[in-house]
Amino acid sequence: MRELDIFLKDIEKRAFRIAQLATHCEADSLDIVQDSMIKLVTKYSHREPTEWRPLFLKILENKILDWHRKQTVMNKLFFWKKGAKKDNKEIDDKFDGEPEAIDLQACPESLAFTEQLGQHLLKCVESLPLKQQQCFVLRSWEGLSIKETAQVMKVNENSVKTHYSRALEKLRQQHLKLEQ
Amino acid sequence: MKDEINSEQKLAEQTAKALDSSLEQLSPNISARLEAARKTALATKAKPGTFQNWNFSQLFRPQALSAGLALSVCLLIVWNLSPHIDQQTPTFASSQNLSEFILLSTLDETELDIIEDIEFAYWLAQKLETPGGLNASSLDKPSNG
């Protein structure tokens, strides 16, 4: 348990940031991280400590996907609500499509977060479509290989290459726009 | 092309650094809530995934019951169908009957009579060999002649 505690302590902030980039919501990100931790402890604590990191990232990515699916369903059910996010498109369109404009009004905490960071690079990452964002974060920040990223995201290696390349291209374009 | 790749790589590195530095800027409130989440997670009972933590009452859930019932019905249907299948399927015995039928149909009437006589003689010999095998009642109704 001690090893697991150290591992979770080491990864919790990064996990929170990954979730926050994907959800734009602090409270939901905390829930996602907690759920991921609980799942790792209850289901995989008996595994080798070297396996924990990819497993935890996989759980986290799945939780984020679940959150997005839930949001999509909720927005479809309660379409008349003004506070609803504008992600009424199909899930695949949303996850693979063009980057959406960042809806900072959707969650007040995210506004504070963005102001606090003041770094347009993070805004660029935040605005990427979900799959591209996941792929970019896992490859560039978490340092996973193509194979590991594919396993975490449950896609094939070619998809990882495509998502990563598109993410980089969009980041470059948006970075140039913001610089101008 | 090479410059473009380098610039993309540089951009990725810059973004990773920005993400790293953003971790330091997390509010103490968030850190405290993350710590609480970690403690909650660690406090949950670990399930090693062996039989020791199996809840056998789960076996009696309605889903399990309905699945079991469906399986039983399927097995019953298959069991009932199996003799019917046997009757329909050509077996060794039925092929033997068929060959006998073909053989008999090729014989003419006199050859059939000879065969029947031989059979009768064979039957009579068997009856005479067995003690008390041949009595009046059996001779009253001869099968042949």
Side-chain angles (χ1 to χ4, degrees):
Chain A
M1 271 312 191
R2 176 77 185 147
E3 276 184 329
L4 197 59
D5 185 32
I6 292 165
F7 166 76
L8 290 176
K9 200 174 182 179
D10 186 49
I11 207 164
E12 65 189 13
K13 285 182 180 176
R14 297 171 80 87
F16 171 75
R17 185 60 85 215
I18 291 171
Q20 198 180 27
L21 284 168
T23 61
H24 306 171
C25 188
E26 199 177 277
D28 289 345
S29 304
L30 280 165
D31 286 345
I32 287 170
V33 173
Q34 181 166 346
D35 287 349
S36 305
M37 284 175 170
I38 288 170
K39 191 162 184 184
L40 186 85
V41 171
T42 52
K43 302 271 181 185
Y44 304 106
S45 58
H46 62 286
R47 295 279 192 99
E48 286 294 311
T50 49
E51 291 180 54
W52 287 343
R53 192 160 167 269
L55 280 169
F56 182 76
L57 289 171
K58 200 170 188 172
I59 295 165
L60 184 72
E61 296 299 339
N62 285 339
K63 294 279 178 199
I64 290 169
L65 276 176
D66 287 346
W67 182 89
H68 273 277
R69 289 193 181 108
K70 200 176 168 184
Q71 286 297 117
T72 308
V73 172
M74 292 299 280
N75 288 337
K76 277 180 181 169
L77 285 173
F78 304 104
F79 58 90
W80 62 87
K81 280 192 178 178
K82 284 187 175 179
K85 287 181 190 173
K86 55 185 179 60
D87 52 359
N88 285 333
K89 286 186 271 175
E90 288 298 313
I91 290 171
D92 285 341
D93 289 349
K94 181 181 175 180
F95 293 166
D96 292 325
E98 290 302 306
E100 292 175 8
I102 305 163
D103 187 5
L104 294 174
Q105 301 305 316
C107 197
E109 300 96 342
S110 66
L111 184 63
F113 156 61
T114 313
E115 281 174 358
Q116 190 185 8
L117 289 174
Q119 292 174 11
H120 60 259
L121 273 174
L122 294 180
K123 282 183 187 175
C124 296
V125 176
E126 212 173 350
S127 68
L128 287 173
L130 186 63
K131 281 190 177 175
Q132 290 177 21
Q133 187 191 85
Q134 285 182 329
C135 188
F136 179 81
V137 169
L138 291 172
R139 292 274 291 123
S140 294
W141 197 31
E142 291 297 324
L144 298 188
S145 67
I146 292 173
K147 194 179 174 182
E148 287 169 333
T149 309
Q151 282 171 350
V152 168
M153 289 180 68
K154 288 183 189 169
V155 293
N156 63 41
E157 292 180 22
N158 289 330
S159 295
V160 171
K161 288 175 195 171
T162 311
H163 287 314
Y164 186 68
S165 166
R166 283 180 184 165
L168 271 179
E169 179 57 28
K170 278 170 191 167
L171 273 179
R172 198 170 62 84
Q173 284 172 3
Q174 291 197 21
H175 186 55
L176 284 172
K177 271 185 200 173
L178 285 165
E179 274 185 342
Q180 283 166 4
Chain B
M1 184 70 182
K2 201 176 177 181
D3 289 340
E4 199 175 317
I5 292 168
N6 282 337
S7 70
E8 280 182 350
Q9 203 173 352
K10 200 177 170 184
L11 183 67
E13 282 169 9
Q14 279 177 346
T15 314
K17 275 181 189 173
L19 283 163
D20 276 333
S21 61
S22 76
L23 295 181
E24 293 159 13
Q25 293 165 6
L26 281 177
S27 67
N29 178 37
I30 296 290
S31 302
R33 287 169 77 181
L34 282 170
E35 195 180 339
R38 175 163 40 89
K39 281 178 182 169
T40 308
L42 288 167
T44 54
K45 196 184 171 185
K47 291 176 185 172
T50 56
F51 290 104
Q52 68 187 38
N53 282 320
W54 265 39
N55 184 6
F56 284 96
S57 64
Q58 285 181 352
L59 293 173
F60 299 101
R61 280 178 175 177
Q63 294 94 328
L65 272 175
S66 53
L69 194 66
L71 188 68
S72 308
V73 169
C74 286
L75 284 172
L76 201 65
I77 289 167
V78 170
W79 185 265
N80 283 334
L81 279 177
S82 54
H84 179 68
I85 292 165
D86 284 343
Q87 283 169 9
Q88 296 294 322
T89 317
T91 56
F92 176 71
S94 64
S95 65
Q96 208 173 16
N97 289 338
L98 188 68
S99 62
E100 277 178 11
F101 173 74
I102 292 164
L103 178 72
L104 289 172
S105 63
T106 53
L107 299 173
D108 61 9
E109 212 166 287
T110 50
E111 285 169 326
L112 274 171
D113 287 341
I114 292 165
I115 289 167
E116 282 173 2
D117 287 343
I118 292 167
E119 272 183 0
F120 174 71
Y122 182 70
W123 170 80
L124 197 61
Q126 273 188 327
K127 286 285 178 185
L128 287 169
E129 277 174 13
T130 53
L134 192 66
N135 51 34
S137 64
S138 62
L139 289 172
D140 283 345
K141 294 183 273 182
S143 60
N144 292 299

